[in-house]
C-alpha cells in the first residue's frame, strides 16, 4: 500500500500487488509472458515495415529494417533473465539464466513461423514478388544476368524459406542471446 499526496489534493492511496518471488521463480510464466510480448512486438515490427513501405516502394531499405528487427527478440529473451535476477534472493547461476532464455527462445521458435505465415499470407503477400522484381531490375549491380538473378530470388525469397529461416534462425539466435544473457546476468 502506498500513500502519497498530490499537490493541492488529498492523500491518494494506491495498492500494488506484487507477485510472490518464489512462485515466479518456480514456474516459467515469466518467460511465456515475455515471449508473448515479444511475439506481439515482432508482428508490430512487420506491420511498421509494411506501413513505411519497406515491402514496396522503399524496398532498398528493407535490409536495415531486418537488422533492426533483431533487437526485438533479444530484448524479449534478456528481460526475463534480468527479472529473475531481481527476484532471486540467493543470486542467479548461469544455468538458471540460460534456461530462462531458452524457454523464451522455445516459445518464439514456435510462434515466429506462425506470425510470418499470417503476415505474409494475408497482410503483406507482395514482399516476395517485390524482392524478385528488385533483383531482376538490379541484376547488373551484382554482375548477374537478369534471368539468373530472378531465378535465384525466386528460390530464396518465398514464404516457405522465410518460415524455415525464421524457425531455425530463432533457435540459433535465441540460444546465443540466452547464453550471452546468462553470462552477463549471472551473480557470483
Amino acid at each position: 500500500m502506498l500513500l502519497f499526496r498530490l499537490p493541492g489534493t488529498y492523500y491518494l492511496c494506491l495498492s500494488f500487488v506484487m507477485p510472490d518471488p518464489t512462485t515466479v521463480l518456480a514456474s516459467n510464466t515469466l518467460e511465456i509472458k515475455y515471449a508473448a510480448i515479444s511475439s506481439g512486438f515482432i508482428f508490430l515490427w512487420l506491420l511498421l515495415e509494411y506501413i513505411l513501405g519497406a515491402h514496396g516502394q522503399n524496398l532498398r531499405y528493407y535490409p536495415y529494417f531486418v537488422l533492426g528487427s533483431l533487437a526485438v527478440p533479444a530484448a524479449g529473451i534478456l528481460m526475463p533473465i534480468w527479472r529473475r535476477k531481481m527476484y532471486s534472493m540467493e543470486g542467479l547461476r548461469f544455468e538458471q539464466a540460460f534456461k530462462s532464455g531458452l524457454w523464451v527462445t522455445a516459445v518464439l521458435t514456435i510462434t515466429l513461423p506462425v506470425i510470418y505465415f499470417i503476415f505474409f499470407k494475408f497482410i503483406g503477400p507482395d514482399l516476395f514478388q517485390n524482392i524478385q522484381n528488385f533483383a531482376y531490375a538490379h541484376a547488373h549491380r551484382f554482375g548477374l544476368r537478369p534471368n539468373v538473378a530472378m531465378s535465384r530470388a525466386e528460390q530464396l525469397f518465398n514464404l516457405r524459406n522465410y518460415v524455415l529461416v525464421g524457425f531455425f534462425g530463432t533457435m540459433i539466435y535465441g540460444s546465443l542471446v540466452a547464453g550471452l544473457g546468462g553470462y552477463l546476468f549471472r551473480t557470483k
Side-chain angles (χ1 to χ4, degrees):
M1 179 96 76
L2 177 66
L3 291 173
F4 63 92
R5 183 167 185 209
L6 295 174
T9 64
Y10 295 100
Y11 284 99
L12 184 63
C13 174
L14 295 175
S15 175
F16 293 102
V17 179
M18 295 296 290
D20 181 20
T22 57
T23 306
V24 171
L25 292 176
S27 67
N28 294 318
T29 56
L30 194 63
E31 287 81 6
I32 293 170
K33 175 181 124 179
Y34 277 102
I37 292 170
S38 295
S39 297
F41 275 115
I42 289 169
F43 186 80
L44 288 175
W45 186 272
L46 287 170
L47 202 58
L48 180 71
E49 289 177 1
Y50 185 75
I51 290 169
L52 294 178
H55 294 184
Q57 70 269 20
N58 295 324
L59 190 62
R60 64 185 175 277
Y61 300 116
Y62 182 69
Y64 303 112
F65 278 98
V66 171
L67 187 61
S69 71
L70 293 176
V72 176
I77 293 168
L78 294 176
M79 282 303 294
I81 296 173
W82 178 74
R83 292 282 302 268
R84 281 195 176 276
K85 182 178 179 181
M86 295 296 111
Y87 278 128
S88 179
M89 302 299 178
E90 66 271 350
L92 189 66
R93 293 190 331 264
F94 171 79
E95 296 83 19
Q96 293 170 316
F98 186 62
K99 182 181 169 189
S100 177
L102 285 182
W103 267 101
V104 177
T105 300
V107 175
L108 284 176
T109 299
I110 294 167
T111 59
L112 192 63
V114 174
I115 290 170
Y116 277 171
F117 180 79
I118 291 170
F119 187 84
F120 291 120
K121 198 70 169 173
F122 302 111
I123 298 172
D126 53 343
L127 171 67
F128 304 119
Q129 186 62 44
N130 290 341
I131 291 176
Q132 293 166 10
N133 293 340
F134 186 84
Y136 183 82
H138 296 89
H140 63 281
R141 289 185 183 175
F142 307 113
L144 298 172
R145 291 190 320 248
N147 292 339
V148 173
M150 184 70 156
S151 66
R152 286 185 183 175
E154 286 172 354
Q155 292 171 354
L156 291 175
F157 298 105
N158 56 52
L159 182 60
R160 181 180 175 274
N161 274 2
Y162 256 59
V163 168
L164 285 174
V165 167
F167 182 80
F168 291 110
T170 303
M171 273 197 294
I172 295 167
Y173 178 69
S175 299
L176 291 173
V177 171
L180 180 66
Y183 178 75
L184 293 176
F185 288 117
R186 66 180 163 58
T187 54
K188 303 206 186 284

